[in-house]
Amino acid sequence: MEDEQAATEASQLDKEIASLRKQSTSLRKVLQIQCSTILSSASTSRLIRSSSSPAVGRRARTSDTPSTKLNSRSTQQQAYMQQCIYRISAPVTSFKVRDPDPNAVDNGHVLGLRFEIMSRGQFLRPYYVMLNPYPSSKHLRVHRHTVPPAVPLAGLAARHLPQPSRTTASDSSTEQDLDRFVRTLRREIVRYHNRLGVSADLRRRLGLHERSQQATSPDALVEASIADIEAKQINLAWANDRTGRLIMDDDGNVVKFVVFGRDGRDWEASSAVFEKNDSIEEVARKLEERLEESISEE
């Protein structure tokens, strides 16, 4: 009995420690954001520059003074802001690289494309597409890339970067449109991440990212996960063994929602949660309301 009580107390302490660590991480993140916001303001920058000017005295120019450290931190913040502004205003950039392979086409000259993607106010790791020419031609083709498989890169390249004609060099069907290829590819990448964001927002809205595995109600939603590689479908699971499927279009808008029970498709539950033209926020709100109703009935 004492061993069980000790184990229970130890488990409770572990949960409290984990909760405190999570709270500490969240507070440090908030503090970092607040400090960056303060350093980014124009008034703060003017005060820092004035305090580090030669008129303040020689003491302000030493490396150990708070004024010098603050000035260095402000300079770093300004450089970071400038970088962010550039990445926002130029979401696609091009650059040239050299293929080290001695047998590479066109002496190894490769055109690189860098795609900047932002999600939830943060920049994600950029995607890269490397293009090189066909042998004995100026037409470009995809050489290497880091684009996720859900994005139809091959289809876009075949449409906007067709292979050169073997019959005649003046065939209009082989004209390539690199600008259209880049714009369409970035749109598809953004759409893909928007759909990923819909799934993450749904889990966060319903509290599934922090809820324990044990459900408190048989009508509690216990899982919401992406069901396909294109992130257009979301699987839902309830504690009472019901399942659901939410289907989105390319832009992340909900187009269909179905619920399945033990006896097959549950039309009543499906219509109660989703109506035509409902947004993902409306679907999440109705799911929350149904859960609250089931808890109050108990």
Side-chain angles (χ1 to χ4, degrees), residues 17-37:
I17 292 174
S19 177
L20 290 174
R21 287 178 176 174
K22 184 178 180 180
Q23 185 178 2
S24 176
T25 302
S26 178
L27 290 175
R28 283 197 297 267
K29 185 175 181 180
V30 172
L31 178 61
Q32 183 179 6
I33 293 174
Q34 295 294 339
C35 291
S36 300
T37 302

Side-chain angles (χ1 to χ4, degrees), residues 131-163:
L131 305 173
N132 67 348
Y134 286 94
S136 303
S137 175
K138 294 183 179 180
H139 284 65
L140 296 174
R141 61 181 177 181
V142 177
H143 178 54
R144 296 284 189 273
H145 70 88
T146 62
V147 177
V151 178
L153 177 62
L156 297 177
R159 182 184 307 172
H160 303 295
L161 301 177
Q163 298 184 17

Side-chain angles (χ1 to χ4, degrees), residues 218-219 236-244 259-262 266 269 290:
D219 290 332
L236 302 175
W238 283 265
N240 57 5
D241 295 332
R242 288 191 305 164
T243 60
V259 178
F260 297 94
R262 296 179 180 178
D266 191 338
R290 289 177 63 86

Side-chain angles (χ1 to χ4, degrees), residues 1 35 49 56 66 81 88 94 108 130 138 150-151 189 212 228 239-240 254-255 272:
M1 187 68 180
C35 291
R49 287 195 300 268
V56 177
M81 289 176 56
I88 292 174
S94 61
M130 303 298 177
K138 294 183 179 180
V151 178
I189 295 175
S212 62
D228 64 325
N240 57 5
V254 183
V255 296

Side-chain angles (χ1 to χ4, degrees), residues 199-235:
S199 176
D201 290 341
L202 181 62
R203 289 180 57 85
R204 189 175 294 103
R205 174 75 180 269
L206 299 175
L208 297 178
H209 66 295
E210 57 185 8
R211 184 179 299 172
S212 62
Q213 295 296 328
Q214 295 182 354
T216 59
S217 171
D219 290 332
L221 189 64
V222 296
E223 183 59 37
S225 58
I226 297 175
D228 64 325
I229 191 174
E230 294 182 339
K232 291 184 178 181
Q233 302 184 24
I234 299 177
N235 269 337

Side-chain angles (χ1 to χ4, degrees), residues 254-278:
V254 183
V255 296
K256 194 173 183 180
F257 181 79
V258 294
V259 178
F260 297 94
R262 296 179 180 178
D263 299 327
R265 184 168 178 177
D266 191 338
W267 293 91
E268 181 180 355
S270 302
S271 60
V273 174
F274 174 72
E275 297 179 357
K276 188 177 180 180
N277 300 325
D278 273 357

